[in-house]
Amino acid sequence: MWAMSAVGYRRLGAAGSAAAAAGGWAAGTLPTRDPWGIWVPHGPGVTVAATVLAYLGLTLLVVAWWGYGRAGSSVRHTLVTLGWWAAPMLLAPPLFSADVYSYIAQGAMVLEGHDVYGAGPSVLDPGGVGGDAAASVGGHWTDTPAPYGPVFLVLAQAVTLATGGSIVPAVLGMRLIAVAALALIVWALRRLVRDRGEDGERGALWLGALNPLLLMHVVGGMHNDGLMIAFMLAGVVLARRGRWVAGSALVGLAMMVKSPAAVALLFIGVIVGRAAAGRPAGHRVVKGLVGPGLVAGAVAAGATLLAGTGFGWLRTQSVAGTIHTALSVTSDLGLLLGELLHALLGTDPDPVKTAVQRLGLAAALAVIAYLAWRSARGRPSPVHALGLALVALVVLSPMVQPWYLLWGTTVVAATAWDGRAGRVLAVLSAALVYETAPSGATPWYGFALAAVAGAAGTVLVRRSARARPDRTRVPAPRTAERHGARTP
């Protein structure tokens, strides 16, 4: 089988990243207005050529990532490779999504005193601070209230204030936040797997940080999911070290970026319960279930009061679910069933779709509760169970975007990067990176490319599994970890 050295894959991935970024200068999610004249639209011929270049670069990056995971390398080499692959995107326009314009516009709304949870970016003055960002917001979000927490909105406000809302500096300011989130993810991953040796640390970084899906959508697209993941992972690190109060506080900050991070509180509770071994069962249960929630709730309330944005985020969490995405199984099934009943009985299809979506969320909550119960009884480890729980939440959610897969993938990377779950998530990462075009659209050929990449990844995984001894079992946690003791 054709293969290169780790250095060769590093160079191939850097070339792919550079090509994807270069394509983005003409085919990315360019702003509607750019007073600087840097990120401006080009003719259709140039745009098509740039799109092809971006997809070619993306393919080179995926191939390099896959090969790098099988090539021998050190942790230091992996970190340097991460720098090589991320660097070409630092000055590129937004890639694969226009969400960053919503972030900047919402920051401007907070700066100007608008109710960011009661109105959308369309309330901004087109000629004022944030006007250029508001004009570039995707159609779905122009009149949609923010579904994000006040911690993130304050960061967006700070970027808007520092840059005056000028579109290019504001985007680059948001990218600095994304790069900082990536650095925190790397820090947390290394500490979560420190007891698993060099191979475990390198593997966790490969799946959890070097992942093309993360590079393209956190560094390239600047999605705030990266910041949520970073705070959440750091909180889990502290909880495993016995500092569950500080860990729960960090998860509270993660929740104030995006609410799905709240799932981590349940598994921090499992860690707390294990740490109380020898105490009465009721004491362990109450401390584990109530303690982390109280800490995170206090942080959320304090952050909201300090930000001055109000508690409107409590009512806007369902905003995203109103937008249909083809990757949501429950939304697709609900839509299909609703249309079928409409054709047969003439009923309104919308209530049927909503009912199926709610059943999906109920099923997700049941799976999460079951994983927490199993983890409390000994297996799997709380960290691995958290990763699986987040994956289940994404699979059964009413709205699913490709980068949502990163919620659970980064956690599973720390526990089973080369296990069965890690291999499945690696294949899905390689496939879903194609689903969104550099312009942020979701064309039909994106799904076709994703299917091809998924099939190729499945074949490679099966060949790899046959070529070496089985390593699908998640290593048992150390005795100290099983009892929740502080780990070095």
Side-chain angles (χ1 to χ4, degrees):
M1 181 179 176
W2 177 82
M4 293 191 296
S5 66
V7 173
Y9 285 122
R10 172 196 281 175
R11 292 170 178 169
L12 181 66
S17 178
W25 282 81
T29 51
L30 304 176
T32 301
R33 300 192 299 263
D34 173 15
W36 288 32
I38 297 177
W39 296 336
V40 294
H42 298 269
V46 174
T47 301
V48 170
T51 300
V52 172
L53 176 63
Y55 270 115
L56 176 61
L58 188 59
T59 301
L60 291 179
L61 181 60
V62 170
V63 170
W65 174 66
W66 199 269
Y68 191 86
R70 273 63 191 165
S73 64
S74 65
V75 171
R76 183 179 182 278
H77 194 280
T78 303
L79 293 173
V80 173
T81 299
L82 177 61
W84 276 45
W85 292 5
M89 303 178 207
L90 296 181
L91 298 179
L95 301 173
F96 302 99
S97 173
D99 282 6
V100 69
Y101 300 127
S102 293
Y103 302 161
I104 298 167
Q106 288 159 359
M109 290 176 66
V110 175
L111 186 64
E112 295 184 353
H114 295 284
D115 181 7
V116 74
Y117 297 120
S122 61
V123 301
L124 290 171
D125 179 2
V129 176
D132 289 340
S136 305
V137 171
H140 289 305
W141 299 103
T142 301
D143 297 303
T144 302
Y148 312 120
V151 167
F152 180 72
L153 293 178
V154 166
L155 290 174
Q157 176 191 15
V159 168
T160 305
L161 178 62
T163 61
S166 183
I167 198 70
V168 174
V171 167
L172 297 182
M174 296 304 300
R175 183 162 278 136
L176 283 178
I177 294 175
V179 172
L182 175 59
L184 185 54
I185 289 171
V186 169
W187 177 88
L189 284 173
R190 296 188 67 186
R191 277 145 188 83
L192 283 173
V193 299
R194 183 155 288 178
D195 59 331
R196 299 180 188 273
E198 176 89 359
D199 185 62
E201 191 172 343
R202 184 193 63 82
L205 291 173
W206 173 78
L207 179 60
L210 209 60
N211 193 322
L213 190 65
L214 185 143
L215 290 174
M216 289 297 164
H217 286 291
V218 172
V219 181
M222 292 157 283
H223 287 291
N224 58 7
D225 301 73
L227 188 61
M228 180 199 78
I229 292 167
F231 282 143
M232 181 182 68
L233 283 178
V236 173
V237 169
L238 294 181
R240 282 190 62 195
R241 293 181 172 184
R243 299 167 59 187
W244 68 268
V245 174
S248 300
L250 278 177
V251 173
L253 291 179
M255 291 163 50
M256 292 298 92
V257 176
K258 294 190 76 168
S259 59
V263 174
L265 294 173
L266 185 58
F267 296 92
I268 286 180
V270 173
I271 294 174
V272 172
R274 288 185 174 191
R279 303 295 294 272
H283 173 87
R284 296 199 306 271
V285 171
V286 171
K287 185 177 180 181
L289 290 179
V290 177
L294 286 177
V295 173
V299 169
T304 301
L305 292 173
L306 289 173
T309 57
F311 288 84
W313 55 268
L314 290 169
R315 68 173 182 269
T316 61
Q317 295 307 301
S318 60
V319 163
T322 62
I323 300 173
H324 185 88
T325 55
L327 293 177
S328 172
V329 175
T330 57
S331 292
D332 291 341
L333 182 60
L335 181 63
L336 178 62
L337 183 59
E339 293 295 340
L340 179 61
L341 292 177
H342 175 71
L344 295 176
L345 306 175
T347 58
D348 185 355
D350 288 339
V352 178
K353 179 182 176 182
T354 300
V356 175
Q357 289 175 330
R358 289 176 177 172
L359 285 173
L361 285 175
L365 292 176
V367 171
I368 292 168
Y370 173 73
L371 287 167
W373 176 75
R374 284 290 305 274
S375 180
R377 291 174 62 86
R379 294 293 295 264
S381 72
V383 179
H384 188 63
L386 169 60
L388 297 179
L390 288 168
V391 171
L393 178 62
V394 171
V395 170
L396 295 169
S397 286
M399 178 184 176
V400 179
Q401 298 286 13
W403 54 92
Y404 289 5
L405 185 71
L406 296 170
W407 301 353
T409 299
T410 49
V411 183
V412 171
T415 60
W417 74 274
D418 203 21
R420 185 177 293 110
R423 294 174 189 177
V424 170
L425 292 172
V427 171
L428 289 175
S429 296
L432 290 180
V433 77
Y434 287 99
E435 192 259 352
T436 308
S439 64
T442 53
W444 66 267
Y445 56 80
F447 291 94
L449 291 172
V452 172
T458 301
V459 170
L460 290 174
V461 162
R462 289 180 175 177
R463 285 182 180 177
S464 178
R466 288 196 300 264
R468 58 183 169 171
D470 180 40
R471 297 171 60 185
T472 60
R473 291 186 61 188
V474 179
R478 298 184 305 170
T479 302
E481 180 187 342
R482 285 199 298 270
H483 294 293
R486 181 184 179 94
T487 56

